[in-house]
Amino acid sequence: MSHHDQRENTGWNFENTYITLPEKLFTMQKPIPVHSPQLVMFNEPLAKSLGLNPESLGSKDVAVFAGNELPDGSSPLAQAYAGHQFGHFTMLGDGRAVLLGEQITPGDERFDIQLKGSGRTPYSRGGDGRASLGPMLREYIISEAMHALRIPTTRSLAVVTTGETVLRETQLPGAILTRVAASHLRVGTFQYVANWGTEADMESLVDYTLHRHFPKVNHGENRYLALFREVVKQQASVIAKWQLVGFVHGVMNTDNMTISGETIDYGPCAFMDHYDENTVFSSIDREGRYSYGNQPGIGQWNLARFAETLLPFINSDEEKAIESAKEVLTEYAKWYHENWLNGMRAKLGLFDEGEDDQSLIEELLQLMKQFEADFTNTFRSLTFEDFEDNNLFHSSDFKYWYKKWNQRKEREEQSKSDSVELMKNHNPAVIPRNHQVEEALQAAVERNDYSVMERLLDVLSNPYAHTKEQEQYTTVPKRNRPYITYCGT
Ligand code: AMP
Ligand code: MG
């Protein structure tokens, strides 16, 4: 097969619109080649949905995922953006990533194809531009698990090892992740332009965003407020989904909040085991700014930063612009709460809306906290009415709650089995539990054994299946030390 044929067969179909934006927004930047790339993870279903052809995958494609070769039609660049990191505003940008281009799928959808860990860029500051294998595999596992949990997220297409080491606390094997996203536009992209760009730059960015993500509201004078409203709506939805599965993002800086509504940046994130709204995993989040219970409020704070960048477009009268933006931010709280409450109802097998539902839910959460009950497993036990060995279920408080829950269910029109089906469909059997993710990463990184990770990915790929095989993944280790995640990835 000639070089040319193989290229064509792979199925890259790039159309790069980001380069039409003002120059300030990016720097043309090729990935820096690596020593000896090896493909260790490849997401075949995702590849197919992108229009790639996994059957013709060859060494040339591995070279593409390593940044050693460029796919036809790509136009690599590093994006500029700013962000509030733990509340402090700074200039950032892709310090270790390049956007290869935008892949147009057979279904005519557009996805950014980005290499993460692809070498230094003008935005690298003190960093080496590289990533180590463990964290890239971790992002692969968690992002794919989130997708299977039906939570909007960036996806992971491939991981290659580079044959080079990166220096963190110790020397670690280097790796590159191929990330797929509806786009990499962030709140921080807008903050960057608002601070260092002209009004014309901002107008280009806003029009680009409307055209790419919100064509339905891209008309009329009010389209800028409509843009804001759509972004707010999607964040209210995605953050509620995090809360409903116990996902703690860990680093909700404004540069890590997408405009597309996809969850992005799987650094110090982790899933909560026993229920506690103060749960924090990240070693650097000492004040608990990004704790589980704070996520909805931080979402609103970040969206207020987004609103500030749009004010001149929302209304030329600043006071009126602020008033309109505030109204939408107030609605965020309402939308978030509705999403959360309806999601919780489904987790309890409730179809319609009862007045006391919120207190019923809050009482359960309070009991879960008091008895240190595992969040995921408690809902799973409720689904299957399997109330063995858990202190919570033997308490008289729970028995009282259980009676109230049953009385509430009896007021429903739907049958008991419909209610169980609803619960099975909203209470995952499995989540990426920290100790299982660690085991999978250890096997892969230390022993080059990817079988543990493959099995875990398989179980996580269908979290609402409640199969026999998934059962062994529901065990929770006795807690002897808190789980801690690190940012130095
Ligand atoms: P994050 O905490 O992953 O959102 O990253 C924050 C910023 O640090 C982004 O601008 C990243 O591109 C940059 N960054 C993170 N790690 C590195 C690295 N090893 N080299 C260069 N830049 C990095
Ligand atoms: Mg980031």
Side-chain angles (χ1 to χ4, degrees):
M1 191 190 282
S2 76
H3 177 103
H4 183 72
D5 286 340
Q6 191 175 11
R7 262 290 140 274
E8 260 180 6
N9 285 344
T10 303
W12 291 114
N13 181 26
F14 283 114
E15 190 192 290
N16 308 314
T17 55
Y18 211 80
I19 48 176
T20 66
L21 280 163
E23 280 174 17
K24 225 180 237 97
L25 272 150
F26 58 90
T27 305
M28 299 313 293
Q29 171 72 54
K30 289 185 180 130
I32 314 293
V34 297
H35 186 262
S36 49
Q38 269 192 314
L39 187 69
V40 292
M41 290 305 301
F42 184 67
N43 192 335
E44 257 195 59
L46 177 59
K48 282 192 180 135
S49 75
L50 289 169
L52 303 181
N53 187 0
E55 284 80 40
S56 76
L57 194 79
S59 58
K60 292 272 189 286
D61 302 288
V62 178
V64 165
F65 296 131
N68 285 10
E69 277 204 36
L70 293 176
D72 275 356
S74 83
S75 189
L77 59 88
Q79 293 178 332
Y81 53 85
H84 275 91
Q85 298 196 303
F86 291 89
H88 305 284
F89 188 69
T90 31
M91 172 61 201
L92 297 160
D94 289 333
R96 56 163 171 177
V98 292
L99 174 67
L100 289 181
E102 299 147 31
Q103 169 79 358
I104 309 298
T105 72
D108 215 22
E109 286 185 290
R110 178 184 304 270
F111 287 100
D112 276 9
I113 308 292
Q114 193 201 58
L115 300 182
K116 181 170 170 180
S118 53
R120 285 181 56 80
T121 78
Y123 313 110
S124 295
R125 296 171 291 163
D128 61 3
R130 294 297 184 188
S132 68
L133 178 58
M136 294 307 100
L137 294 177
R138 194 166 185 277
E139 170 154 349
Y140 190 107
I141 296 171
I142 300 188
S143 63
E144 288 306 301
M146 292 287 275
H147 174 71
L149 287 162
R150 302 186 206 115
I151 299 175
T153 177
T154 65
R155 306 276 312 267
S156 299
L157 179 62
V159 178
V160 294
T161 50
T162 58
E164 299 172 5
T165 56
V166 294
L167 183 63
R168 296 296 180 258
E169 288 90 33
T170 55
Q171 296 275 354
L172 297 168
I176 296 171
L177 172 83
T178 304
R179 179 158 74 181
V180 179
S183 84
H184 284 83
L185 291 167
R186 312 142 191 269
V187 168
T189 316
F190 287 76
Q191 290 181 296
Y192 167 73
V193 175
N195 270 271
W196 292 293
T198 62
E199 196 165 313
D201 292 335
M202 189 57 122
E203 192 162 1
S204 303
L205 176 62
V206 170
D207 286 342
Y208 178 86
T209 305
L210 273 162
H211 181 74
R212 183 161 175 180
H213 290 298
F214 305 102
K216 284 199 185 111
V217 299
N218 191 10
H219 49 78
E221 242 180 270
N222 279 331
R223 64 189 190 278
Y224 302 116
L225 186 62
L227 162 67
F228 180 54
R229 176 185 283 269
E230 291 305 307
V231 171
V232 169
K233 249 190 212 162
Q234 292 192 352
Q235 286 298 330
S237 164
V238 74
I239 295 173
K241 286 180 173 149
W242 295 355
Q243 301 304 97
L244 292 166
V245 297
F247 174 75
V248 182
H249 183 284
V251 58
M252 286 179 74
N253 297 329
T254 54
D255 51 300
N256 293 334
M257 181 181 261
T258 61
I259 300 303
S260 68
E262 291 177 326
T263 311
I264 196 171
D265 221 310
Y266 293 91
C269 66
F271 281 71
M272 173 170 71
D273 39 33
H274 65 286
Y275 179 82
D276 184 344
E277 71 276 15
N278 298 315
T279 302
V280 179
F281 295 104
S282 171
S283 62
I284 60 167
D285 193 0
R286 295 221 169 76
E287 286 157 38
R289 177 181 170 93
Y290 298 144
S291 68
Y292 172 79
N294 279 355
Q295 295 188 130
I298 287 290
Q300 192 177 37
W301 191 88
N302 288 349
L303 290 165
R305 305 289 78 74
F306 181 44
E308 285 163 3
T309 72
L310 295 176
L311 289 178
F313 293 85
I314 291 173
N315 200 312
S316 51
D317 178 334
E318 197 182 357
E319 257 171 56
K320 281 188 184 145
I322 291 173
E323 200 179 307
S324 302
K326 273 192 174 157
E327 264 170 41
V328 178
L329 283 171
T330 308
E331 282 191 284
Y332 164 85
K334 194 189 83 193
W335 289 327
Y336 165 75
H337 187 70
E338 278 170 9
N339 284 316
W340 175 83
L341 188 55
N342 287 331
M344 275 293 176
R345 283 188 178 114
K347 287 174 84 69
L348 288 177
L350 304 174
F351 288 90
D352 48 23
E353 298 176 9
E355 251 180 58
D356 299 331
D357 291 350
Q358 186 168 339
S359 57
L360 186 73
I361 293 157
E362 274 165 5
E363 278 167 38
L364 174 66
L365 294 176
Q366 201 47 50
L367 285 174
M368 284 166 61
K369 181 175 181 182
Q370 188 185 330
F371 287 91
E372 300 197 345
D374 183 81
F375 182 72
T376 306
N377 284 347
T378 300
F379 284 105
R380 194 173 147 267
S381 297
L382 291 173
T383 305
F384 296 101
E385 305 251 349
D386 170 12
F387 298 131
E388 273 171 59
D389 61 44
N390 182 329
N391 291 338
L392 166 67
F393 299 134
H394 298 305
S395 69
S396 56
D397 284 342
F398 175 77
K399 284 173 186 155
Y400 177 69
W401 181 88
Y402 181 75
K403 207 179 274 175
K404 278 208 285 193
W405 176 43
N406 274 300
Q407 284 164 356
R408 169 66 182 86
K409 278 194 292 185
E410 274 157 29
R411 297 208 310 265
E412 299 256 308
E413 267 172 38
Q414 284 81 358
S415 70
K416 167 95 192 154
S417 69
D418 285 347
S419 170
V420 172
E421 279 312 305
L422 182 68
M423 291 182 78
K424 277 163 77 175
N425 207 23
H426 286 85
N427 295 319
V430 286
I431 47 154
R433 289 191 183 274
N434 305 321
H435 67 288
Q436 286 155 358
V437 173
E438 291 302 320
E439 271 167 29
L441 296 183
Q442 234 174 40
V445 176
E446 286 167 24
R447 305 193 297 278
N448 197 30
D449 171 8
Y450 284 79
S451 64
V452 186
M453 176 162 165
E454 294 286 0
R455 275 200 303 279
L456 180 62
L457 282 170
D458 186 51
V459 157
L460 291 170
S461 70
N462 204 352
Y464 301 104
H466 298 278
T467 61
K468 194 106 211 101
E469 201 207 343
Q470 287 175 327
E471 234 160 77
Q472 71 181 95
Y473 286 85
T474 63
T475 53
V476 187
K478 285 261 173 293
R479 267 192 306 135
N480 42 21
R481 63 186 168 91
Y483 186 72
I484 299 171
T485 57
Y486 299 93
C487 265
T489 57

